[in-house]
Amino acid sequence: MSGAQASFGTDALNGAKLAVEELNAGGGVLGHPVKLMVKDTQSRTDETEAVVAELTDSDKAAVLIGEIATDRSLVAAPLAQARGVPMITPASTSEKVTAVGDGIFRVCYTDAFQAGVMAKFARSIDVQKAAILSDASTPYSAGLAESFRKEFSALGGTIVAEESYRTGDKDFAAQLQAIKAQSPEIIFLPSYYAEAALIIQEARKQGIDAPFLGTDGWDSPEFLKVGGGAVDNSYFCSHFASETTSEAVKRFVGAYAAKFGNAPPPLAALTYDAVMLAADALKRAGSTDPAGLRQALAATADFPGVTGGITFDADRNPRKPGIVIRVDEGKFTYLETVDP
Ligand code: PHE
């Protein structure tokens, strides 16, 4: 809820609060009220271990919901797995997270999928030459760069430049110059909102006007606030569009807006689904026994999430649609839904 990706945690917490409130209004789970215990990693990998230890060893959580960012989930997952406490990440997309063990689940799609959505999108608007600019110091960004390279090339496109930076860098001039020299038609920039907005601003100053293509890490109002007009004419892959027309989603959007005063951001929707799925699995398991809960989670089929149906494959990943969002005139606009 604080630090570099504070916006993600804040939305996620609101989604969890709404889910717990609704569960308890309906009598709780297995005859008990659900208690939400909240700890802040401060967007830091080096705080994550202490947070997991407190929630599991001291608070005796039956299930962990989190973390949001891949890099922190990669710290949390082995600790949760070793303690036998099932963990459901609402939003960590790297394949590596659920690969940690049979107790680690996710309710979102994976990075190979979202990189494929953006590669297909680029080819659908006739892009032949793409560049990639990624953060080599985070598994999230580095993994996405690799997946996009593969997918875009497999679809007949050419990667004409590939550059990287490291978290905390402030100067991207050299990388952007190298990219500009190859005249790509789009630039794939898998990173989080604050950094992405700064990089795109810098690119516009250097006279690069090719559209940028991004990933779910851009998905925060902060991207628009920091980026201003510079981030117009770009596209990214999201998890949730509150404009969808299904009755269940409309009900969720209405309940969220009534409680928090705004439409639910994707992280609120994903985390709402993660908590509701945990409750559903607890009911199916009949107790909080970790082994039973893990089995019930693994057996999840057609769970009706507000972000889409959830059925786990053998690697505890669901197949969910990707949503392409266009950034223009200072706002996010729904463009299309890409099914897996
Ligand atoms: N997918 C991102 C990660 O794995 C987290 C994220 C999800 C950010 C959804 C925004 C929205 O790090």
PDB file of all heavy atoms in Angstrom, residues 8 68-71 91-94 111 114 140 192 216-219 239 266-267 270, ligand 1:
ATOM      1  N   PHE A   8      -1.288   0.132  -6.672  1.00  0.00           N
ATOM      2  CA  PHE A   8      -1.761  -1.253  -6.829  1.00  0.00           C
ATOM      3  C   PHE A   8      -2.301  -1.809  -5.509  1.00  0.00           C
ATOM      4  O   PHE A   8      -3.374  -2.395  -5.448  1.00  0.00           O
ATOM      5  CB  PHE A   8      -0.621  -2.174  -7.295  1.00  0.00           C
ATOM      6  CG  PHE A   8      -0.117  -1.890  -8.686  1.00  0.00           C
ATOM      7  CD1 PHE A   8       1.134  -2.358  -9.082  1.00  0.00           C
ATOM      8  CD2 PHE A   8      -0.885  -1.199  -9.603  1.00  0.00           C
ATOM      9  CE1 PHE A   8       1.611  -2.126 -10.368  1.00  0.00           C
ATOM     10  CE2 PHE A   8      -0.419  -0.958 -10.897  1.00  0.00           C
ATOM     11  CZ  PHE A   8       0.839  -1.428 -11.277  1.00  0.00           C
ATOM     12  N   ILE A  68       1.035  -8.506  -5.057  1.00  0.00           N
ATOM     13  CA  ILE A  68       0.597  -8.022  -6.361  1.00  0.00           C
ATOM     14  C   ILE A  68       1.717  -8.198  -7.387  1.00  0.00           C
ATOM     15  O   ILE A  68       1.571  -8.875  -8.397  1.00  0.00           O
ATOM     16  CB  ILE A  68       0.193  -6.532  -6.274  1.00  0.00           C
ATOM     17  CG1 ILE A  68      -0.883  -6.319  -5.220  1.00  0.00           C
ATOM     18  CG2 ILE A  68      -0.225  -6.019  -7.651  1.00  0.00           C
ATOM     19  CD1 ILE A  68      -2.130  -7.123  -5.411  1.00  0.00           C
ATOM     20  N   ALA A  69       2.863  -7.596  -7.114  1.00  0.00           N
ATOM     21  CA  ALA A  69       3.955  -7.590  -8.092  1.00  0.00           C
ATOM     22  C   ALA A  69       4.712  -8.922  -8.079  1.00  0.00           C
ATOM     23  O   ALA A  69       4.974  -9.504  -7.022  1.00  0.00           O
ATOM     24  CB  ALA A  69       4.920  -6.450  -7.789  1.00  0.00           C
ATOM     25  N   THR A  70       5.068  -9.363  -9.261  1.00  0.00           N
ATOM     26  CA  THR A  70       5.799 -10.614  -9.445  1.00  0.00           C
ATOM     27  C   THR A  70       7.034 -10.710  -8.547  1.00  0.00           C
ATOM     28  O   THR A  70       7.285 -11.735  -7.914  1.00  0.00           O
ATOM     29  CB  THR A  70       6.221 -10.733 -10.933  1.00  0.00           C
ATOM     30  OG1 THR A  70       5.065 -11.114 -11.682  1.00  0.00           O
ATOM     31  CG2 THR A  70       7.319 -11.749 -11.133  1.00  0.00           C
ATOM     32  N   ASP A  71       7.816  -9.622  -8.499  1.00  0.00           N
ATOM     33  CA  ASP A  71       9.101  -9.711  -7.811  1.00  0.00           C
ATOM     34  C   ASP A  71       8.928  -9.989  -6.318  1.00  0.00           C
ATOM     35  O   ASP A  71       9.721 -10.707  -5.717  1.00  0.00           O
ATOM     36  CB  ASP A  71       9.917  -8.439  -8.062  1.00  0.00           C
ATOM     37  CG  ASP A  71      10.037  -8.176  -9.565  1.00  0.00           C
ATOM     38  OD1 ASP A  71       9.626  -9.059 -10.355  1.00  0.00           O
ATOM     39  OD2 ASP A  71      10.505  -7.109  -9.958  1.00  0.00           O
ATOM     40  N   ALA A  91      -2.576 -10.980  -8.888  1.00  0.00           N
ATOM     41  CA  ALA A  91      -2.120 -10.209 -10.044  1.00  0.00           C
ATOM     42  C   ALA A  91      -0.702 -10.495 -10.532  1.00  0.00           C
ATOM     43  O   ALA A  91      -0.282  -9.914 -11.520  1.00  0.00           O
ATOM     44  CB  ALA A  91      -2.228  -8.725  -9.703  1.00  0.00           C
ATOM     45  N   SER A  92       0.045 -11.359  -9.855  1.00  0.00           N
ATOM     46  CA  SER A  92       1.415 -11.609 -10.312  1.00  0.00           C
ATOM     47  C   SER A  92       1.366 -12.513 -11.538  1.00  0.00           C
ATOM     48  O   SER A  92       0.908 -13.647 -11.466  1.00  0.00           O
ATOM     49  CB  SER A  92       2.259 -12.257  -9.214  1.00  0.00           C
ATOM     50  OG  SER A  92       2.477 -11.326  -8.180  1.00  0.00           O
ATOM     51  N   THR A  93       1.862 -12.016 -12.649  1.00  0.00           N
ATOM     52  CA  THR A  93       1.645 -12.668 -13.928  1.00  0.00           C
ATOM     53  C   THR A  93       2.788 -13.584 -14.379  1.00  0.00           C
ATOM     54  O   THR A  93       2.611 -14.373 -15.299  1.00  0.00           O
ATOM     55  CB  THR A  93       1.389 -11.593 -15.006  1.00  0.00           C
ATOM     56  OG1 THR A  93       2.244 -10.474 -14.748  1.00  0.00           O
ATOM     57  CG2 THR A  93      -0.061 -11.135 -14.994  1.00  0.00           C
ATOM     58  N   SER A  94       3.970 -13.475 -13.755  1.00  0.00           N
ATOM     59  CA  SER A  94       5.095 -14.303 -14.214  1.00  0.00           C
ATOM     60  C   SER A  94       4.829 -15.795 -13.977  1.00  0.00           C
ATOM     61  O   SER A  94       4.401 -16.192 -12.879  1.00  0.00           O
ATOM     62  CB  SER A  94       6.382 -13.908 -13.482  1.00  0.00           C
ATOM     63  OG  SER A  94       7.353 -14.912 -13.659  1.00  0.00           O
ATOM     64  N   ASP A 111       2.243 -13.931 -18.049  1.00  0.00           N
ATOM     65  CA  ASP A 111       2.990 -12.997 -18.899  1.00  0.00           C
ATOM     66  C   ASP A 111       3.150 -13.487 -20.335  1.00  0.00           C
ATOM     67  O   ASP A 111       3.135 -12.690 -21.270  1.00  0.00           O
ATOM     68  CB  ASP A 111       4.357 -12.700 -18.282  1.00  0.00           C
ATOM     69  CG  ASP A 111       4.230 -11.716 -17.139  1.00  0.00           C
ATOM     70  OD1 ASP A 111       3.214 -10.986 -17.102  1.00  0.00           O
ATOM     71  OD2 ASP A 111       5.124 -11.680 -16.280  1.00  0.00           O
ATOM     72  N   GLN A 114      -0.051 -12.354 -21.926  1.00  0.00           N
ATOM     73  CA  GLN A 114      -0.241 -10.917 -22.212  1.00  0.00           C
ATOM     74  C   GLN A 114       0.781 -10.393 -23.219  1.00  0.00           C
ATOM     75  O   GLN A 114       0.458  -9.504 -24.022  1.00  0.00           O
ATOM     76  CB  GLN A 114      -0.325 -10.063 -20.952  1.00  0.00           C
ATOM     77  CG  GLN A 114       0.923  -9.890 -20.127  1.00  0.00           C
ATOM     78  CD  GLN A 114       0.749  -8.732 -19.121  1.00  0.00           C
ATOM     79  OE1 GLN A 114       0.085  -7.734 -19.401  1.00  0.00           O
ATOM     80  NE2 GLN A 114       1.350  -8.875 -17.951  1.00  0.00           N
ATOM     81  N   TYR A 140       9.801  -9.594 -13.671  1.00  0.00           N
ATOM     82  CA  TYR A 140       8.556  -9.250 -14.379  1.00  0.00           C
ATOM     83  C   TYR A 140       8.873  -8.679 -15.760  1.00  0.00           C
ATOM     84  O   TYR A 140       8.431  -9.203 -16.783  1.00  0.00           O
ATOM     85  CB  TYR A 140       7.774  -8.235 -13.532  1.00  0.00           C
ATOM     86  CG  TYR A 140       6.601  -7.582 -14.240  1.00  0.00           C
ATOM     87  CD1 TYR A 140       5.451  -8.298 -14.543  1.00  0.00           C
ATOM     88  CD2 TYR A 140       6.638  -6.226 -14.598  1.00  0.00           C
ATOM     89  CE1 TYR A 140       4.371  -7.693 -15.175  1.00  0.00           C
ATOM     90  CE2 TYR A 140       5.571  -5.613 -15.224  1.00  0.00           C
ATOM     91  CZ  TYR A 140       4.435  -6.347 -15.510  1.00  0.00           C
ATOM     92  OH  TYR A 140       3.378  -5.735 -16.144  1.00  0.00           O
ATOM     93  N   TYR A 192       6.381  -0.844 -14.800  1.00  0.00           N
ATOM     94  CA  TYR A 192       5.322  -0.308 -13.946  1.00  0.00           C
ATOM     95  C   TYR A 192       5.069   1.161 -14.272  1.00  0.00           C
ATOM     96  O   TYR A 192       5.911   1.837 -14.856  1.00  0.00           O
ATOM     97  CB  TYR A 192       5.682  -0.504 -12.481  1.00  0.00           C
ATOM     98  CG  TYR A 192       5.782  -1.966 -12.098  1.00  0.00           C
ATOM     99  CD1 TYR A 192       6.952  -2.494 -11.580  1.00  0.00           C
ATOM    100  CD2 TYR A 192       4.709  -2.820 -12.304  1.00  0.00           C
ATOM    101  CE1 TYR A 192       7.042  -3.835 -11.242  1.00  0.00           C
ATOM    102  CE2 TYR A 192       4.784  -4.170 -11.973  1.00  0.00           C
ATOM    103  CZ  TYR A 192       5.954  -4.672 -11.443  1.00  0.00           C
ATOM    104  OH  TYR A 192       6.040  -5.993 -11.123  1.00  0.00           O
ATOM    105  N   ASP A 216       0.239  -4.948 -18.104  1.00  0.00           N
ATOM    106  CA  ASP A 216      -0.648  -4.605 -16.989  1.00  0.00           C
ATOM    107  C   ASP A 216      -0.017  -3.672 -15.958  1.00  0.00           C
ATOM    108  O   ASP A 216      -0.720  -2.952 -15.268  1.00  0.00           O
ATOM    109  CB  ASP A 216      -1.209  -5.878 -16.326  1.00  0.00           C
ATOM    110  CG  ASP A 216      -0.127  -6.801 -15.770  1.00  0.00           C
ATOM    111  OD1 ASP A 216       1.073  -6.555 -15.993  1.00  0.00           O
ATOM    112  OD2 ASP A 216      -0.505  -7.793 -15.105  1.00  0.00           O
ATOM    113  N   GLY A 217       1.304  -3.642 -15.890  1.00  0.00           N
ATOM    114  CA  GLY A 217       1.991  -2.775 -14.933  1.00  0.00           C
ATOM    115  C   GLY A 217       1.742  -1.283 -15.150  1.00  0.00           C
ATOM    116  O   GLY A 217       1.989  -0.470 -14.263  1.00  0.00           O
ATOM    117  N   TRP A 218       1.243  -0.919 -16.334  1.00  0.00           N
ATOM    118  CA  TRP A 218       0.912   0.494 -16.604  1.00  0.00           C
ATOM    119  C   TRP A 218      -0.415   0.896 -15.988  1.00  0.00           C
ATOM    120  O   TRP A 218      -0.762   2.079 -15.943  1.00  0.00           O
ATOM    121  CB  TRP A 218       0.737   0.715 -18.105  1.00  0.00           C
ATOM    122  CG  TRP A 218       1.929   0.705 -18.970  1.00  0.00           C
ATOM    123  CD1 TRP A 218       3.180   0.230 -18.689  1.00  0.00           C
ATOM    124  CD2 TRP A 218       1.965   1.187 -20.327  1.00  0.00           C
ATOM    125  NE1 TRP A 218       3.978   0.386 -19.779  1.00  0.00           N
ATOM    126  CE2 TRP A 218       3.276   0.965 -20.803  1.00  0.00           C
ATOM    127  CE3 TRP A 218       1.032   1.763 -21.177  1.00  0.00           C
ATOM    128  CZ2 TRP A 218       3.660   1.321 -22.097  1.00  0.00           C
ATOM    129  CZ3 TRP A 218       1.414   2.114 -22.460  1.00  0.00           C
ATOM    130  CH2 TRP A 218       2.725   1.910 -22.920  1.00  0.00           C
ATOM    131  N   ASP A 219      -1.182  -0.087 -15.564  1.00  0.00           N
ATOM    132  CA  ASP A 219      -2.612   0.109 -15.337  1.00  0.00           C
ATOM    133  C   ASP A 219      -2.922   0.830 -14.037  1.00  0.00           C
ATOM    134  O   ASP A 219      -3.403   0.239 -13.083  1.00  0.00           O
ATOM    135  CB  ASP A 219      -3.302  -1.256 -15.366  1.00  0.00           C
ATOM    136  CG  ASP A 219      -4.756  -1.150 -15.762  1.00  0.00           C
ATOM    137  OD1 ASP A 219      -5.301  -0.030 -15.730  1.00  0.00           O
ATOM    138  OD2 ASP A 219      -5.347  -2.190 -16.109  1.00  0.00           O
ATOM    139  N   HIS A 239      -6.591  -6.295 -17.243  1.00  0.00           N
ATOM    140  CA  HIS A 239      -7.273  -7.503 -16.749  1.00  0.00           C
ATOM    141  C   HIS A 239      -8.790  -7.348 -16.664  1.00  0.00           C
ATOM    142  O   HIS A 239      -9.502  -8.333 -16.503  1.00  0.00           O
ATOM    143  CB  HIS A 239      -6.782  -7.840 -15.331  1.00  0.00           C
ATOM    144  CG  HIS A 239      -5.355  -8.259 -15.272  1.00  0.00           C
ATOM    145  ND1 HIS A 239      -4.957  -9.570 -15.398  1.00  0.00           N
ATOM    146  CD2 HIS A 239      -4.219  -7.545 -15.106  1.00  0.00           C
ATOM    147  CE1 HIS A 239      -3.641  -9.649 -15.290  1.00  0.00           C
ATOM    148  NE2 HIS A 239      -3.169  -8.427 -15.119  1.00  0.00           N
ATOM    149  N   PRO A 266      -8.743  -2.516 -12.081  1.00  0.00           N
ATOM    150  CA  PRO A 266      -8.477  -3.941 -12.282  1.00  0.00           C
ATOM    151  C   PRO A 266      -7.968  -4.655 -11.029  1.00  0.00           C
ATOM    152  O   PRO A 266      -8.388  -5.770 -10.739  1.00  0.00           O
ATOM    153  CB  PRO A 266      -7.424  -3.940 -13.377  1.00  0.00           C
ATOM    154  CG  PRO A 266      -7.739  -2.707 -14.168  1.00  0.00           C
ATOM    155  CD  PRO A 266      -8.187  -1.687 -13.171  1.00  0.00           C
ATOM    156  N   LEU A 267      -7.100  -4.012 -10.271  1.00  0.00           N
ATOM    157  CA  LEU A 267      -6.560  -4.706  -9.099  1.00  0.00           C
ATOM    158  C   LEU A 267      -7.601  -4.945  -8.024  1.00  0.00           C
ATOM    159  O   LEU A 267      -7.530  -5.930  -7.279  1.00  0.00           O
ATOM    160  CB  LEU A 267      -5.371  -3.943  -8.528  1.00  0.00           C
ATOM    161  CG  LEU A 267      -4.104  -4.308  -9.289  1.00  0.00           C
ATOM    162  CD1 LEU A 267      -2.995  -3.342  -9.015  1.00  0.00           C
ATOM    163  CD2 LEU A 267      -3.691  -5.722  -8.951  1.00  0.00           C
ATOM    164  N   LEU A 270      -9.563  -8.008  -9.388  1.00  0.00           N
ATOM    165  CA  LEU A 270      -8.781  -9.253  -9.265  1.00  0.00           C
ATOM    166  C   LEU A 270      -8.709  -9.713  -7.808  1.00  0.00           C
ATOM    167  O   LEU A 270      -8.805 -10.906  -7.509  1.00  0.00           O
ATOM    168  CB  LEU A 270      -7.359  -9.045  -9.807  1.00  0.00           C
ATOM    169  CG  LEU A 270      -7.194  -8.958 -11.321  1.00  0.00           C
ATOM    170  CD1 LEU A 270      -5.813  -8.415 -11.679  1.00  0.00           C
ATOM    171  CD2 LEU A 270      -7.404 -10.332 -11.973  1.00  0.00           C
TER     172      LEU A 270
HETATM  173  N1  PHE B   1       1.287  -8.318 -13.327  1.00  0.00           N
HETATM  174  C1  PHE B   1       2.068  -7.432 -12.498  1.00  0.00           C
HETATM  175  C2  PHE B   1       3.236  -8.208 -11.920  1.00  0.00           C
HETATM  176  O1  PHE B   1       3.252  -9.406 -12.006  1.00  0.00           O
HETATM  177  C3  PHE B   1       1.255  -6.785 -11.419  1.00  0.00           C
HETATM  178  C4  PHE B   1       0.037  -6.053 -11.869  1.00  0.00           C
HETATM  179  C5  PHE B   1      -1.151  -6.681 -12.141  1.00  0.00           C
HETATM  180  C6  PHE B   1       0.031  -4.692 -12.015  1.00  0.00           C
HETATM  181  C7  PHE B   1      -2.289  -5.997 -12.545  1.00  0.00           C
HETATM  182  C8  PHE B   1      -1.093  -3.998 -12.425  1.00  0.00           C
HETATM  183  C9  PHE B   1      -2.275  -4.645 -12.683  1.00  0.00           C
HETATM  184  O2  PHE B   1       4.154  -7.679 -11.362  1.00  0.00           O
END
